[in-house]
Amino acid sequence: MSSPPARLTVPLRSLGEDELLRTSRERQLSLSREEMGTIRDHFRAAGREPTDVELETFAQTWSEHCIHKTFKGRIELDGEVIELFRDTIAGVTSKLRLPWCFSVFEDNAGLVDFEGEMALAFKVETHNHPSAVEPFGGAATGVGGVIRDILGVWGEPIANTDVLCFGPLDLPYEELPPGVKHPRFIHSYVVAGIGAYGNNMGIPTVNGAIYFDRSYVGNPLVFCGTLGLVPKAKYARDVKPGDAVLLVGGKTGRDGVHGVTFASAELHERSEEVSATAVQIGDPIEEEKIKRGILRVRELGLGSAITDLGGGGLSSAVGEMAHRAGLGALVHLERVPLKYPGMRPWEVWISESQERMLLAVPKANLDRVMEHFAEEEVEATPIGEFVPGKRLRVLYRGEEVADLDLAFLFRGCPMVARKAKWKPPRLEEPSFPMDKDLGGDLLRILGSPNVASREGVIRTYDHEVRAATILKPIHGYGPGDAAVLRPLYDSWKGAVLSNGLNPEYGKIDPYWMAASAVDEAVRNNTAVGGRRIALLDNFCFGNPERPEVLGQLVRAAKGCSDTALAHGTPFISGKDSLYNESPLGPVTPTLLISALGIIPDVRRAVSMDLKGPGHRLYVLGTTRDELGGSHYYKIKGHTGKNVPRVYPDEARELFEALIKAMDMGLVRACHDLSEGGLGVAAAEMAFAGSVGLELDLGKVPLAGRMREDKVFFSESNSRLLVEVREEDSPEFEAALRGHSVASIGKTVDDKELVVKKGKKTLLKAGLDALRDAWEASL
Amino acid sequence: MNFCILRAPGTNCDGETARALEELGCGAEVVHLKRLLDGRVDILGYSGLVIPGGFSYGDHIRSGAIVGRVLSHALGERLSRFVDEGRPVLGICNGFQVLAEAGLLPGFEGTSRFPEMALSKNASSHFEDRWVHLRAGESSCPFTKGMPPVLRMPVAHGEGRVVLPPGGLERLEANGQVALRYALGSGEPAGGRYPENPNGSAGDIAGITNPQGNVLGLMPHPERAFLRILYPDWTRTGGEGYGDGYLLLRNMVEYVRRL
Amino acid sequence: MLWEVRVSYKRGVQDSEGESTLKGLKALGFGGVEGVSTAKVYLIKGNCSRGDVEEICRRLLANPVSQDYTIRGIEGEDE
Amino acid sequence: MLWEVRVSYKRGVQDSEGESTLKGLKALGFGGVEGVSTAKVYLIKGNCSRGDVEEICRRLLANPVSQDYTIRGIEGEDE
Ligand SMILES: Nc1ncnc2c1ncn2[C@@H]1O[C@H](COP(=O)(O)OP(=O)(O)O)[C@@H](O)[C@H]1O
Ligand SMILES: [Mg+2]
């Protein structure tokens, strides 16, 4: 059998617009008409045809996944033109100008100062489409991928987070469209995949969320995050001409070929067959070994740069590394170790095989670096070198298969200009009578899928390997608001991880959905004692080429930015995943906000379980008639219209005052109010601590008159419940003077939750019954 | 005093385990299995051996199988000598699985060529991380001597169910080899009840020692219960000072001091 | 009836289990072994037709994207 | 040569994976299923005799306390 020549060209120069688009489709490039035209013109000017390797490189580098066209493009909404990334997300950070932001939006992860010479790196990624077709492998490689983002900033991964969105588990099989897997199947294999990867690598999974909504049936969302520790002095980014391009880790196969273009298109019925190569299983032990090797090279300062091989494989990583250094690179593709023979050069070049990293290594250090990897039984192969001149040249057995201008590759992609449309949905506030006894409603909400206990899932994740998890996901037998870690053995300083997510509000207004997500992430962090908070955004929306979807995206981006600015919390990194659509339509606009705070002394961290009888319970923040998208309305069959807003100036100062009180040692327990409002938060605090509670709804600070059920279940933002010892209450009240705060009840000996309004009893329930309801589902 | 903390690809609790031993004032050197196999490092150069938790080689065949069998194949004799000389060997979680596969535990007649026990898939069939109560003190193992009647430590494993050949349990009990049992909060044995006995182990066994008492394998993680602040309810019960894992590791270190 | 279902990875999908087994065997001195691949077997007993077992594979035991499965009737198949 | 090794639980040793699969199937509505048991298959390729494979099982693939194994020659067995 004679193999075809290495160098194959694709005639483009003579093609018209329609033919260009056909070529893009046939080759699964996911490039638009305009982009193809730009490439054609570039090669016309160069006086030659592109090679297949070159064309594939453009398809990878210019994919939505790699270049974030929508976020970096121009969008027009109601006559206003906005560049989402610059004007919203990054805008917040540049306005705040905080000195502790060490590296933002630049690298594979955002970095903030921690203690002394140490920085924390944080990144959250999505792995949605792979998880839809191969939930175990998709989720596992999602975890593996984000861990490599941390390794890709010389970070030592120290904790994982996972936020998962699925269709309802009780969906009747008959309602499943062809080619779509049942939410139960997806749920159980995604959870297994996340656990398998994190557990095997010895990284604790400490924080997350699970959310159910019908819109995720055809397109589940899997957000994976990793926190890392980086000594700032070892954060090497200093490639020099002559440095070796070192490929480290597993062998390269056809897997993941066209992964990013797959991620940048909608899912369809036949995604399963078409994209079989986009599916991978992952090998955490391989990555564990790579991690050891990299940490050793880092410690000895032997490398000059590092990055992961993620979307686009070598084609993205090598070019990016050279481009950042203002250099070019020369790669000998046949040196790449392959899993099997017969791969075309372009396949090797863009393969997304897992568990691989790219290092730049000065020649003088190369032997030592190779030895350290060999010691860990990790393959490391020099495949080329960095060179002066800003060209990316790829040879295959001596034959040139690509010669690209890096400036054009990274800056030549035509900016997209799109129109967005936003029309608020027509919704109404419902009217229904209030039940005399709120107990039934409370039990139903506690047992509803989005509130019920996640213990069954959480326990399948190792959340305490490394012996540094100070507040665990289930702390004191209740659902914690945030995880607290102690990253360094010789310091009590802690890192605090939390998140905010509420797609239900997105059905009413993505602006307030996003604002609420920021507020929730920040208040969860505050609830345990976290401060100096940095944020990550992860947008998962439908096809942005549709004006309505884009309108939602713009509103969400504005909502989270306005709120983040008001809270003084910068964004340091993030990601957007668009085209989350299936034959069932787009996903509900979903924004995950992940928050990273610090706490000066982990021994001062506060958990949510009530600590004992005879203490006071305070509610912080104002309760409003804001039940649109609430769980209470949901169990009554309504969506409503009054979506919770954020009044961030009130909120910021309130949170700061609370932190002050915590640092004074005045807070025994604290829990954030979110899904299910005061009712759910109070019940959770009570059964978590096995301490009874008596509340008077008449004392809750309100904005205007409200019916008792609404007071009890409103999901207004920026509110928390706080337990304070009787003797500390004067000091506590002094610390919070000037804020919306009220003592609304006390903890008692009886193992009951009793809710009154004045003399009238509205609810009386045993803690066991509440706990059983919460634990029943999932 | 210098401990060898053995690691293989996929071991992942070596850092915190070494750190705990260092805090107890001993040397703790993390040594890659291949260095023992190719002779660069001699196990007999150490005062004690600790095999920490993790997923060695991915634990695909059976947890700990590859490392256990390779150890006994390549270093069987030296390891037997190490044990016979009374030096301490501690296997935690994956390390316990390794000791079982290597034939060092239960070691009824000394080190055996083939395993005499198995740590099989949890009765629940999935991985589980939870804190358990333990009862110590029935055995001859000096590491679990002089402990409070009820200990607390976390387990985190998918394969920790002790399976013994017929008569094995009786033999262990008769020999005083049951070092730790899963218990209720009161200290009563868990009686197979889930989740107090998290994996369905025969006889609620959480840890086994050899007849001599110097080899201990246990599924719970003492290094994760080293400090009180690592307890899942320290915000209720207090986060100051050392935890039960410290006591166990300290006992092992003191045992070496007395040797 | 008794059915045997066998689930294995599709060609090209990584079989880490097989690979690590191979490594282990080499370390134990079995130099002659060149490759190991693995599969999982489920023996299903009960009152179910081949169609049911097909359905069981699709819904729970196998993912058609990354895995192949075969079904074999062992006892009492009445087709 | 190609050998198939099949490792399963000994009689009396709980097959928890089989049990949980059974539970899962019941939950999915496959009421007819009465029992599930599992086994692991290794396909071993290389230059090895039945005796070698026997040894491989004893030395690595099976734990004699909890597991049984069977060996089947698939290709090129020359005994
Ligand atoms: N929507 C977004 N919001 C905030 N930051 C973003 C967003 N998209 C990309 N970024 C930032 O841009 C940088 C580069 O992104 P990307 O190339 O996608 O990284 P990677 O491929 O390593 O995940 C990252 O630091 C990321 O934080
Ligand atoms: Mg990256």
Side-chain angles (χ1 to χ4, degrees):
Chain A
M1 197 182 83
S2 75
S3 52
R7 182 187 169 90
L8 287 179
T9 54
V10 184
L12 274 198
R13 284 185 295 170
S14 60
L15 299 191
E17 304 278 293
D18 289 345
E19 294 156 310
L20 283 175
L21 201 55
R22 192 179 329 128
T23 306
S24 167
R25 255 195 229 117
E26 277 167 6
R27 293 184 162 257
Q28 292 185 49
L29 303 177
S30 291
L31 288 169
S32 72
R33 192 186 290 261
E34 199 196 351
E35 288 153 358
M36 286 297 285
T38 306
I39 294 168
R40 174 197 58 195
D41 297 348
H42 177 78
F43 281 96
R44 275 185 182 161
R48 65 178 176 94
E49 297 290 2
T51 65
D52 54 354
V53 176
E54 287 170 332
L55 199 51
E56 289 288 349
T57 307
F58 284 107
Q60 305 305 309
T61 313
W62 290 9
S63 70
E64 178 66 62
H65 178 91
C66 289
I67 210 168
H68 311 288
K69 288 182 245 198
T70 305
F71 265 69
K72 301 209 163 134
R74 269 192 214 98
I75 301 174
E76 194 194 315
L77 177 65
D78 300 331
E80 185 196 354
V81 175
I82 173 171
E83 275 181 40
L84 280 183
F85 185 68
R86 189 194 66 193
D87 297 339
T88 63
I89 305 295
V92 174
T93 309
S94 55
K95 278 183 203 138
L96 289 172
R97 296 183 50 134
L98 294 160
W100 45 267
C101 288
F102 181 66
S103 164
V104 296
F105 307 120
E106 289 264 308
D107 214 327
N108 294 309
L111 284 92
V112 294
D113 291 352
F114 183 53
E115 170 95 318
E117 260 307 283
M118 295 304 245
L120 291 172
F122 194 24
K123 178 67 179 271
V124 177
E125 283 267 13
T126 49
H127 222 50
N128 305 336
H129 289 182
S131 302
V133 290
E134 199 342 327
F136 181 90
T141 51
V143 177
V146 74
I147 291 171
R148 287 196 299 280
D149 271 330
I150 297 304
L151 294 174
V153 294
W154 296 110
E156 176 188 1
I158 61 170
N160 285 340
T161 69
D162 70 309
V163 172
L164 314 173
C165 300
F166 303 119
L169 296 184
D170 56 2
L171 187 83
Y173 273 89
E174 306 78 70
E175 289 176 31
L176 272 186
V180 172
K181 297 191 170 60
H182 194 274
R184 266 184 189 285
F185 183 90
I186 296 183
H187 171 269
S188 68
Y189 283 97
V190 162
V191 166
I194 288 177
Y197 213 99
N199 296 352
N200 272 265
M201 269 198 78
I203 302 170
T205 303
V206 298
N207 177 257
I210 303 178
Y211 200 92
F212 299 99
D213 184 82
R214 270 195 100 88
S215 75
Y216 304 125
V217 167
N219 194 126
L221 304 180
V222 174
F223 301 86
C224 308
T226 301
L227 180 72
L229 200 52
V230 188
K232 287 197 253 177
K234 306 284 189 187
Y235 179 65
R237 286 276 174 278
D238 184 25
V239 186
K240 295 266 177 351
D243 287 2
V245 179
L246 187 69
L247 176 62
V248 169
K251 290 192 192 324
T252 299
R254 241 175 226 117
D255 21 38
V257 165
H258 283 148
V260 299
T261 48
F262 173 54
S264 307
E266 293 171 21
L267 284 177
H268 46 86
E269 196 178 312
R270 286 159 47 83
S271 290
E272 212 167 72
E273 306 151 43
V274 176
S275 317
T277 54
V279 163
Q280 302 186 59
I281 305 297
D283 181 0
I285 300 305
E286 179 69 24
E287 192 147 306
E288 212 278 328
K289 296 186 296 179
I290 295 171
K291 177 192 86 178
R292 300 234 185 208
I294 286 174
L295 293 180
R296 187 86 182 116
V297 170
R298 169 184 99 176
E299 189 184 312
L300 300 171
L302 298 176
S304 56
I306 187 168
T307 194
D308 63 307
L309 286 167
L314 282 169
S315 78
S316 296
V318 179
E320 250 176 62
M321 201 180 259
H323 182 61
R324 286 180 59 146
L327 297 173
L330 177 66
V331 173
H332 302 275
L333 215 45
E334 76 283 355
R335 295 186 189 163
V336 174
L338 301 181
K339 290 186 180 173
Y340 30 73
M343 282 176 73
R344 296 289 307 156
W346 69 267
E347 292 177 310
V348 178
W349 185 232
I350 70 165
S351 157
E352 295 179 10
S353 284
Q354 297 292 306
E355 288 96 22
R356 299 178 306 159
M357 296 288 293
L358 194 74
L359 272 74
V361 179
K363 285 269 158 66
N365 301 341
L366 190 59
D367 288 346
R368 286 171 70 199
V369 169
M370 307 263 295
E371 252 169 55
H372 287 300
F373 282 111
E375 194 63 8
E376 296 298 336
E377 299 170 12
V378 172
E379 198 163 353
T381 316
I383 59 166
E385 63 180 326
F386 293 95
V387 295
K390 301 175 182 184
R391 295 197 78 83
L392 176 58
R393 290 181 60 217
V394 184
L395 305 185
Y396 188 84
R397 302 210 173 114
E399 205 179 335
E400 185 171 276
V401 293
D403 178 11
L404 290 166
D405 173 11
L406 282 171
F408 177 70
L409 181 61
F410 285 98
R411 303 230 186 81
C413 182
M415 207 184 219
V416 304
R418 283 184 189 143
K419 281 212 181 355
K421 211 164 70 190
W422 163 248
K423 209 170 85 227
R426 264 205 271 166
L427 297 163
E428 301 249 346
E429 276 290 292
S431 92
F432 57 87
M434 170 178 146
D435 285 344
K436 267 234 282 297
D437 179 5
L438 295 179
D441 292 331
L442 179 58
L443 290 176
R444 271 177 77 192
I445 295 176
L446 281 170
S448 69
N450 287 333
V451 174
S453 170
R454 269 73 176 124
E455 179 168 0
V457 169
I458 291 168
R459 295 226 176 272
T460 67
Y461 302 150
D462 191 335
H463 51 258
E464 47 198 338
V465 54
R466 294 190 88 260
T469 313
I470 305 298
L471 277 194
K472 305 179 205 293
I474 301 181
H475 192 96
Y477 316 107
D481 290 325
V484 176
L485 300 155
R486 182 189 172 203
L488 304 169
Y489 285 124
D490 53 4
S491 159
W492 289 106
K493 196 165 192 171
V496 184
L497 291 179
S498 62
N499 63 65
L501 172 96
N502 205 325
E504 201 65 24
Y505 303 159
K507 295 175 185 170
I508 304 178
D509 187 344
Y511 183 93
W512 294 113
M513 176 274 286
S516 298
V518 169
D519 193 75
E520 187 186 4
V522 171
R523 83 180 174 262
N524 272 324
N525 218 283
T526 307
V528 302
R531 76 278 323 254
R532 210 210 65 181
I533 293 166
L535 303 177
L536 266 68
D537 58 278
N538 278 88
F539 291 84
C540 284
F541 280 63
N543 184 345
E545 290 157 44
R546 297 205 275 134
E548 328 76 76
V549 171
L550 198 53
Q552 296 173 331
L553 187 61
V554 173
R555 284 207 51 86
K558 287 187 162 183
C560 68
S561 306
D562 291 348
T563 312
L565 190 61
H567 269 303
T569 50
F571 290 100
I572 58 166
S573 183
K575 191 98 182 191
D576 48 272
S577 162
L578 307 175
Y579 301 93
N580 285 294
E581 305 211 357
S582 72
L584 297 170
V587 297
T588 300
T590 307
L591 170 65
L592 169 67
I593 298 290
S594 310
L596 165 62
I598 56 169
I599 182 167
D601 187 337
V602 295
R603 291 169 296 186
R604 286 249 180 246
V606 176
S607 62
M608 53 73 71
D609 48 317
L610 291 178
K611 302 299 184 303
H615 298 169
R616 289 205 189 189
L617 195 77
Y618 288 87
V619 66
L620 275 55
T622 305
T623 300
R624 296 178 163 89
D625 186 352
E626 297 181 319
L627 286 97
S630 69
H631 275 77
Y632 184 54
Y633 277 7
K634 196 171 189 175
I635 61 162
K636 301 286 182 193
H638 307 289
T639 297
K641 177 174 141 209
N642 298 344
V643 67
R645 301 186 167 219
V646 180
Y647 302 84
D649 299 328
E650 286 173 28
R652 181 177 182 171
E653 287 174 11
L654 178 70
F655 293 177
E656 283 169 4
L658 173 60
I659 289 288
K660 216 170 65 192
M662 284 177 172
D663 288 349
M664 293 163 73
L666 303 174
V667 174
R668 298 294 292 138
C670 181
H671 195 16
D672 107 290
L673 268 62
S674 49
E675 289 154 329
L678 173 59
V680 166
E684 286 175 348
M685 290 178 86
F687 65 63
S690 201
V691 173
L693 191 54
E694 251 179 56
L695 299 179
D696 184 352
L697 292 185
K699 298 203 171 135
V700 175
L702 305 175
R705 282 178 59 83
M706 280 168 72
R707 213 165 75 181
E708 293 84 1
D709 55 338
K710 289 194 171 183
V711 176
F712 198 49
F713 292 120
S714 166
E715 297 183 6
S716 286
N717 282 303
S718 315
R719 297 177 307 150
L720 300 117
L721 278 176
V722 173
E723 181 193 18
V724 177
R725 267 188 305 239
E726 190 63 41
E727 60 268 32
D728 293 332
S729 61
E731 240 185 304
F732 178 77
E733 286 175 19
L736 278 119
R737 187 150 301 137
H739 298 286
S740 174
V741 175
S743 165
I744 60 164
K746 56 178 193 298
T747 57
V748 295
D749 279 319
D750 293 339
K751 309 258 183 251
E752 290 187 322
L753 174 66
V754 179
V755 179
K756 298 187 174 165
K757 164 119 188 240
K759 292 242 155 356
K760 190 169 63 177
T761 299
L762 298 168
L763 182 160
K764 196 167 178 174
L767 299 187
D768 287 344
L770 294 169
R771 186 183 188 95
D772 288 349
W774 180 70
E775 284 183 340
S777 139
L778 280 193
Chain B
M1 189 187 314
N2 196 15
F3 277 83
C4 170
I5 316 282
L6 181 67
R7 79 169 167 102
T11 302
N12 60 37
C13 302
D14 47 309
E16 55 268 40
T17 306
R19 167 69 208 178
L21 287 171
E22 280 164 7
E23 189 154 338
L24 284 160
C26 355
E29 193 185 328
V30 177
V31 178
H32 198 293
L33 173 64
K34 70 194 272 187
R35 293 162 66 86
L36 284 178
L37 295 181
D38 65 18
R40 275 181 288 173
V41 171
D42 183 3
I43 189 65
L44 291 168
Y46 295 89
S47 9
L49 169 65
V50 179
I51 310 180
F55 288 77
S56 50
Y57 289 100
D59 275 356
H60 296 294
I61 301 173
R62 278 179 318 281
S63 296
I66 293 183
V67 177
R69 298 300 186 93
V70 168
L71 272 181
S72 88
H73 169 73
L75 294 174
E77 238 165 84
R78 292 193 93 64
L79 271 176
S80 297
R81 208 173 117 193
F82 193 90
V83 171
D84 293 344
E85 288 172 8
R87 302 191 214 198
V89 177
L90 178 68
I92 302 166
C93 193
N94 199 231
F96 184 12
Q97 294 155 343
V98 167
L99 295 178
E101 289 285 340
L104 283 156
L105 283 176
F108 289 128
E109 315 283 339
T111 309
S112 64
R113 199 163 116 75
F114 293 105
E116 293 175 315
M117 65 174 291
L119 285 154
S120 198
K121 270 212 167 69
N122 292 355
S124 66
S125 102
H126 56 71
F127 181 97
E128 196 155 324
D129 176 343
R130 70 164 63 244
W131 281 65
V132 293
H133 295 279
L134 298 167
R135 216 161 80 131
E138 293 172 43
S139 76
S140 55
C141 179
F143 316 161
T144 57
K145 279 275 149 60
M147 309 272 270
V150 187
L151 310 175
R152 292 179 66 198
M153 286 181 206
V155 293
H157 60 251
E159 300 188 9
R161 180 164 54 94
V162 171
V163 176
L164 296 161
L169 182 57
E170 295 71 19
R171 201 163 167 196
L172 280 180
E173 284 170 342
N175 287 355
Q177 288 184 255
V178 180
L180 294 164
R181 284 190 210 259
Y182 300 112
L184 310 179
S186 61
E188 299 290 299
R193 219 170 80 184
Y194 176 85
E196 286 82 357
N197 174 337
N199 50 34
S201 264
D204 298 322
I205 294 177
I208 288 176
T209 182
N210 61 342
Q212 248 176 294
N214 63 326
V215 179
L216 173 67
L218 75 170
M219 290 315 296
H221 286 269
E223 80 283 8
R224 299 186 190 181
F226 195 72
L227 300 174
R228 282 268 155 197
I229 201 157
L230 295 171
Y231 280 43
D233 52 0
W234 68 267
T235 52
R236 312 179 66 75
T237 53
E240 296 288 324
Y242 291 111
D244 294 336
Y246 166 87
L247 299 177
L248 190 144
L249 295 173
R250 188 200 56 192
N251 279 348
M252 177 178 73
V253 170
E254 278 177 0
Y255 166 81
V256 180
R257 290 221 169 90
R258 285 196 306 268
L259 268 190
Chain C
M1 268 154 295
L2 188 61
W3 299 92
E4 179 185 292
V5 172
R6 185 170 169 147
V7 182
S8 56
Y9 285 116
K10 274 205 157 66
R11 252 190 122 81
V13 176
Q14 179 163 333
D15 179 359
S16 323
E17 190 169 349
E19 285 169 27
S20 81
T21 305
L22 178 64
K23 254 184 233 157
L25 290 176
K26 297 258 181 220
L28 287 172
F30 294 101
V33 182
E34 286 153 24
V36 179
S37 59
T38 64
K40 186 74 161 269
V41 170
Y42 299 86
L43 284 172
I44 299 176
K45 206 176 127 177
N47 184 10
C48 36
S49 66
R50 180 176 284 269
D52 293 338
V53 179
E54 264 310 324
E55 196 59 22
I56 284 175
C57 291
R58 281 210 299 262
R59 285 228 192 136
L60 186 70
L61 301 185
N63 184 336
V65 180
S66 52
Q67 295 172 318
D68 287 326
Y69 60 84
T70 55
I71 299 175
R72 199 161 65 90
I74 295 199
E75 241 174 66
E77 182 175 14
D78 20 49
E79 288 167 89
Chain D
M1 267 153 299
L2 188 62
W3 299 92
E4 179 184 294
V5 171
R6 188 167 166 149
V7 180
S8 56
Y9 289 107
K10 273 205 155 61
R11 256 186 120 81
V13 174
Q14 181 189 6
D15 176 358
S16 57
E17 199 177 349
E19 287 173 17
S20 82
T21 305
L22 176 63
K23 256 188 235 153
L25 289 177
K26 296 258 184 220
L28 286 174
F30 294 100
V33 182
E34 286 153 24
V36 179
S37 59
T38 65
K40 188 113 116 209
V41 169
Y42 299 87
L43 281 172
I44 298 176
K45 208 176 126 175
N47 185 11
C48 35
S49 66
R50 181 176 284 269
D52 293 338
V53 179
E54 197 57 74
E55 196 59 19
I56 281 174
C57 291
R58 279 155 41 96
R59 296 267 294 280
L60 186 65
L61 299 185
N63 180 315
V65 176
S66 56
Q67 297 171 315
D68 284 328
Y69 60 84
T70 57
I71 299 174
R72 198 160 66 89
I74 295 200
E75 240 177 65
E77 180 174 13
D78 21 49
E79 286 165 272

